[in-house]
Amino acid sequence: MGDEWRSRVAGGVGVAEASSVYAGRGMLEAKNAASIANADLFIASAGLGLVKANDVIPAYDLTVVRGLPSSILSKLPIGTSEGEWWDEISTQDKVVRFEARLETDHALLLVALPANYLKMLTRFLKALPAFSDGRIRIFTGSEQFKIDADLKPYLMPYDRRLDGGPSPGTLGDFAQRALRHFVDEILSASPNGDASDHAARVLSAQGRWERPVSKAGVRLSDDDLLKTIREEWDSVQGRSTRLLRKLRDDLGIACEQSRFAKLAATVRAERAEP
């Protein structure tokens, strides 16, 4: 399946730079963090593997978020893991380019990913020299996710207090907001600190913040939710992951992934009709 997908991607026409294709506040925060740190920005793509922010890439609709129509996990052979799919799409030339850039300055590797993508990249990250050298820092907003035990020492302990501190936002952009705060406040104060020092500084900073009171999203009937999905479809080019995030984060609508997947499939079928 990996060979088939790579052939399809290779035949695709580049439409824009990766940092433009992957839009939203999360990407903006990541770009700001890279600018502050004077660092290269790479993107972990479920369809393309590692891409640099200024690479021109084709459009596609694929994710590792379970329950969405575009999730690769529902299409893989039974027993195939996210990490094995990453091995299929993460081509050697991209990995070599990434590792070479990382080793040039013996630099820190700052990884800001949601839980499902972090799970997909776990084996890859643990194979990097930056991991064995202790030069990796990890950021994720998924508090219920059990991170691999070997990576846990490098997880920066940001929690929902970040939302009540200097950088409020949504769960969808939490990891990137934490990354930017780390680069702007923690790394600038302790550029040569180890993971333990950096984690302690994060906890100290969070001691001044409070968790905001969570607000429940508005629940809509299926008919009203279908209407909203139809109205917003073109604004995200029909990409399921972005649309679900927009419903939840931007429009404040409560919607379970399984329910959204069924309704989005209905709209997709409608739009495919001649």
Side-chain angles (χ1 to χ4, degrees):
M1 187 169 182
D3 290 339
E4 178 186 351
W5 177 256
R6 286 194 299 271
S7 296
R8 289 174 59 185
V9 168
V13 178
V15 296
E17 291 187 352
S19 60
S20 297
V21 174
Y22 305 106
R25 181 177 176 184
M27 179 53 61
L28 179 60
E29 295 283 6
K31 288 194 288 189
N32 286 340
S35 177
I36 293 168
N38 192 28
D40 290 333
L41 175 61
F42 286 83
I43 298 165
S45 162
L48 304 174
L50 275 176
V51 294
K52 200 170 180 182
N54 59 0
D55 286 348
V56 176
I57 65 171
Y60 70 95
D61 189 12
L62 197 70
T63 181
V64 290
V65 178
R66 295 182 183 277
L68 296 181
S70 57
S71 176
I72 185 60
L73 300 181
S74 64
K75 302 173 177 64
L76 294 174
I78 295 175
T80 305
S81 68
E82 298 95 327
E84 290 170 320
W85 173 248
W86 178 258
D87 292 341
E88 289 287 332
I89 61 172
S90 189
T91 57
Q92 189 62 27
D93 60 326
K94 292 180 179 179
V95 172
V96 169
R97 178 177 62 165
F98 174 75
E99 291 181 335
R101 181 66 189 91
L102 190 60
E103 295 309 306
T104 297
D105 302 323
H106 206 61
L108 278 180
L109 172 60
L110 307 180
V111 181
L113 293 171
N116 34 39
Y117 279 77
L118 185 55
K119 184 177 181 181
M120 180 171 67
L121 269 72
T122 290
R123 185 166 56 188
F124 168 74
L125 294 173
K126 289 169 63 174
L128 294 172
F131 167 74
S132 56
D133 293 345
R135 291 185 287 115
I136 187 170
R137 305 289 182 269
I138 297 171
F139 310 85
T140 185
S142 308
E143 293 183 314
Q144 305 305 316
F145 173 60
K146 291 185 178 179
I147 189 171
D148 182 275
D150 292 332
L151 293 180
K152 195 168 184 179
Y154 306 107
L155 175 65
M156 295 295 97
Y158 285 95
D159 58 36
R160 291 296 174 274
R161 285 175 289 179
L162 180 68
D163 296 334
S167 185
T170 67
L171 181 59
D173 51 46
F174 183 95
Q176 292 78 19
R177 288 185 290 118
L179 168 68
R180 184 175 63 80
H181 177 269
F182 179 84
V183 169
D184 204 17
E185 300 292 340
I186 308 300
L187 194 59
S188 61
S190 180
N192 299 315
D194 61 15
S196 296
D197 172 63
H198 287 158
R201 289 175 182 269
V202 169
L203 290 174
S204 177
Q206 287 192 139
R208 303 189 296 270
W209 314 331
E210 294 184 2
R211 286 176 179 253
V213 177
S214 60
K215 298 178 181 179
V218 176
R219 289 196 62 84
L220 300 179
S221 67
D222 281 0
D223 287 343
D224 287 338
L225 191 53
L226 270 171
K227 179 181 178 182
T228 303
I229 290 173
R230 292 183 184 112
E231 291 173 347
E232 299 295 338
W233 191 267
D234 289 333
S235 70
V236 294
Q237 295 79 51
R239 292 176 181 158
S240 301
T241 305
R242 290 192 191 176
L243 183 51
L244 181 56
R245 287 178 178 170
K246 184 168 187 177
L247 291 177
R248 290 174 171 175
D249 301 341
D250 297 343
L251 302 180
I253 296 172
C255 184
E256 300 84 2
Q257 281 192 356
S258 57
R259 182 183 179 218
F260 170 81
K262 293 176 182 178
L263 297 178
T266 298
V267 176
R268 183 175 288 103
E270 292 173 355
R271 297 176 71 92
E273 294 176 356

